[in-house]
Amino acid sequence: RLRKWQRKIRISGATERNLAFALSELDRIASRLNLPRTVRETASVIYRDAVKKKLIRGRSIEEVVAAALYAACRKCNVPRTLDEIAEVSGVKKKGVGRTYRFLARKLNIRLPPTSPIDYVPRFASELGLSGKVQSKAIEIIKKAMKKGLTSGRGPTGVAAAALYIASVLLRERRTQREIAEVAGITEVTIRNRYRELTSKLNLGVTF
Amino acid sequence: MGENDLEIEIENIVASATLGRPIDLSKISKALKSVNFNRKQFPGLVYKLDKPKTAALIFGSGKLVCTGAKSVEDSIKAIKTTVNKIREVDPDIPEDYEIKIQNIVASANLSKPLNLDEIAMTLENTEYEPEQFPGLVYRLDKPKVVLLLFGSGKVVCTGARDPKDAKLGVKKTKERLKELNLI
DNA sequence: GCTTTAAAAAGTAAACT
DNA sequence: AGTTTACTTTGCAAAGC
C-alpha cells in the first residue's frame, strides 16, 4: 500500500534524522572534551546498539548520547567525570548517571569502576607535574587500594590526594586549591583523603 | 557456629491504610495543627505526629500513608492515632480498615570491612558506582529486597514487607559473601 | 517520570565560622 | 582548617500531572 510505504519512508527518515543529530551531538561533546577518535567511535557504536534495541524510548537523544560517551570514556580508560559530561552536554548529572546505568544493564556493558590511577596522567599534565610525581602517586594509590582505603570513595578525590602527597614528597608541590580545581572537587575533599592516606599508609611523612 | 549475631535494626517503616470513605482534606487541614497541605504541590495532606515520631499523608480518597516508624507496632499505632484524629473532625470513619506494611528499611553491621571493588566483580546482581554513591547495590531475589553494602561493613536492607525478610536478606547476603570469600 | 514522607549507610559539596 | 547542613542511593504507598 502506498500509504504504508509513505509511512515507512517517513519513519525511516525521522530515524535517520535522529541518528544524524545524535552523531553530530556526540561529536560536538567529544570535541569539547578533547576525546580521541577511538572513544568517539566506541560511543557511536554504543549509541547505535541502543537504537537497535529501542532503548531510546522515554529518553532524550541528548541523554543517551551523553551516557554513551561516558560509558565509552570508561571503556577506553580515558575517564571523564559525570560532571564534565553533564557540563558540556547540557544533560543533568543525575540523568547521565541514570541513563548510563540503564544502558549498561540493557547492553550488558559491565565496566569496573574507574580507577583513581586512570585520572593521574590527565591531572598531572594539567598541573605540569613530572612523571616521577605521577609514578609516586600511582604507588600511593596502589597501596591505598590494598588497604581498602578506596572503597566507596570518589576516584577523583583519591587521585587528587595521591598527587598532592606525591607533589609534596618530590618537592614539586602544588596547592590543594590548584589540584582541587583540575580534579573538579573541593579542597575539603582533598584534605579528608590525604589525611586518611597519610595516617593509614606508611608514607614516611607527616603533614 | 550459630552466629545469631545479626542484629538488624529497623530504621523506617512505610505503611498504608484504606479507610474506605472519602475525606474532606480542607476540613482537616483547618482543624489540625501540625498539618501541611498544598493541593497544587502534592495531593496528600501531610500530618506529623510526635508520639510515635512519624509523618502521615492523608488523601481525599480515604487512603493514607504512614512513614517514619521504627517498629511495626509503632507504625500501626501511628495510623490508629491519625485515624482517630480524622474521626474527631470527620465522624463516620469505619472501625475496621485495612493496614498494610509496604516497606521496611533496616540497617546491620557485618563487622568486617568490605572490598567493594572485589564484590562488584564477583557477586551477581550488583551495581557499584563510587563516583555517584559510596554504597554497592545488591539485589536479592529470594527475599525480594535490595541491600546497600558499604566499605565499613555496614549494610542497609530495604524493600522488605516483613521484618523477617529484612533479617533474612542480610543473613543471605552475609552467607553469599562468605561463600565467595568476600567476607 | 515527577511531586511528598521517613530513615540508614558514607562520601562529597557549599556555606560558615 | 574545621563544622554544619544538605544532597547522592535503595525501597514503597498515596492521586494526579
Side-chain angles (χ1 to χ4, degrees):
Chain A
R1 237 316 176 46
L2 180 60
R3 201 169 281 178
K4 198 173 180 181
W5 180 242
Q6 290 178 320
R7 194 189 204 182
K8 274 194 177 180
I9 290 175
R10 218 180 293 149
I11 291 175
S12 62
T15 299
E16 284 173 37
R17 245 176 285 131
N18 286 341
L19 182 60
F21 171 69
L23 295 180
S24 71
E25 265 295 283
L26 196 153
D27 229 52
R28 180 185 67 79
I29 298 169
S31 296
R32 283 217 237 164
L33 292 170
N34 298 313
L35 296 174
R37 271 186 188 71
T38 55
V39 176
R40 304 184 191 205
E41 284 162 13
T42 301
S44 71
V45 169
I46 292 173
Y47 185 87
R48 288 165 193 273
D49 285 348
V51 172
K52 282 178 190 166
K53 294 198 174 182
K54 306 189 186 305
L55 303 179
I56 320 233
R57 289 180 178 179
R59 263 160 274 273
S60 70
I61 291 174
E62 290 87 343
E63 233 175 12
V64 179
V65 165
L69 267 169
Y70 175 70
C73 287
R74 277 175 60 169
K75 188 173 184 179
C76 299
N77 286 74
V78 185
R80 230 71 341 174
T81 63
L82 281 177
D83 280 310
E84 292 172 312
I85 301 277
E87 189 186 311
V88 306
S89 69
V91 177
K92 297 288 184 183
K93 178 181 179 179
K94 194 172 177 176
V96 183
R98 180 202 297 144
T99 305
Y100 162 74
R101 282 178 231 147
F102 178 75
L103 292 184
R105 204 167 53 238
K106 295 295 183 178
L107 299 177
N108 293 326
I109 297 173
R110 193 153 243 148
L111 302 171
T114 303
S115 168
I117 293 174
D118 292 339
Y119 284 109
V120 170
R122 182 154 67 97
F123 293 168
S125 73
E126 283 185 53
L127 291 162
L129 289 168
S130 69
K132 300 279 171 281
V133 173
Q134 293 188 40
S135 299
K136 188 68 182 172
I138 290 172
E139 181 191 321
I140 292 170
I141 292 171
K142 286 182 176 173
K143 283 185 185 172
M145 292 174 93
K146 284 180 182 173
K147 287 206 173 184
L149 299 179
T150 57
S151 271
R153 283 100 179 164
T156 54
V158 175
L163 274 170
Y164 175 70
I165 295 170
S167 78
V168 172
L169 289 178
L170 301 183
R171 291 152 214 244
E172 287 183 42
R173 182 179 206 144
R174 295 295 107 104
T175 64
Q176 290 178 14
R177 174 153 212 159
E178 290 174 307
I179 297 179
E181 182 154 12
V182 310
I185 59 178
T186 64
E187 295 168 72
V188 176
T189 295
I190 291 193
R191 244 172 264 147
N192 290 335
R193 291 297 125 247
Y194 92 66
R195 241 194 298 169
E196 181 175 53
L197 294 179
T198 53
S199 68
K200 296 182 178 175
L201 296 176
N202 302 339
L203 299 176
V205 180
T206 305
F207 291 85
Chain B
M1 313 346 255
E3 64 283 280
N4 309 320
D5 48 316
L6 288 86
E7 45 177 276
I8 275 64
E9 201 162 327
I10 293 179
E11 307 285 357
N12 183 31
I13 292 182
V14 178
S16 62
T18 303
L19 305 183
R21 249 192 99 98
I23 297 174
D24 184 342
L25 299 184
S26 306
K27 208 167 166 183
I28 291 175
S29 67
K30 287 172 186 169
L32 299 182
K33 298 182 184 89
S34 44
V35 159
N36 256 85
F37 185 39
N38 299 298
R39 190 151 235 149
K40 343 216 74 185
Q41 186 178 49
F42 189 70
L45 183 161
V46 182
Y47 177 53
K48 300 196 175 184
L49 20 175
D50 294 321
K51 324 107 188 206
K53 186 171 171 285
T54 55
L57 303 176
I58 306 170
F59 299 87
S61 63
K63 292 190 175 184
L64 57 137
V65 172
C66 171
T67 63
K70 294 208 177 285
S71 71
V72 174
E73 288 305 310
D74 275 358
S75 186
I76 293 173
K77 196 180 301 174
I79 287 178
K80 290 186 173 175
T81 302
T82 301
V83 173
N84 286 335
K85 271 302 190 251
I86 296 174
R87 271 210 194 84
E88 290 177 12
V89 183
D90 240 332
D92 299 339
I93 298 294
E95 287 297 327
D96 290 310
Y97 47 89
E98 185 191 335
I99 295 178
K100 188 180 181 187
I101 300 299
Q102 303 285 174
N103 184 32
I104 294 177
V105 179
S107 63
N109 194 344
L110 301 182
S111 303
K112 254 169 217 168
L114 266 25
N115 183 324
L116 303 183
D117 286 287
E118 271 185 52
I119 295 175
M121 293 193 303
T122 319
L123 189 60
E124 65 288 347
N125 304 317
T126 60
E127 265 182 44
Y128 175 46
E129 297 294 330
E131 196 187 328
Q132 301 168 66
F133 186 69
L136 179 149
V137 182
Y138 178 44
R139 287 162 208 281
L140 254 189
D141 273 336
K142 208 166 41 102
K144 192 179 170 297
V145 296
V146 174
L147 296 108
L148 303 178
L149 311 183
F150 297 87
S152 64
K154 299 275 189 67
V155 173
V156 169
C157 177
T158 185
R161 296 188 124 85
D162 185 318
K164 291 181 178 178
D165 283 336
K167 290 174 178 58
L168 184 57
V170 174
K171 201 162 294 181
K172 294 196 75 181
T173 298
K174 191 174 182 178
E175 288 169 0
R176 196 78 240 275
L177 291 175
K178 283 186 177 177
E179 284 174 12
L180 301 171
N181 298 318
L182 297 169
I183 43 176

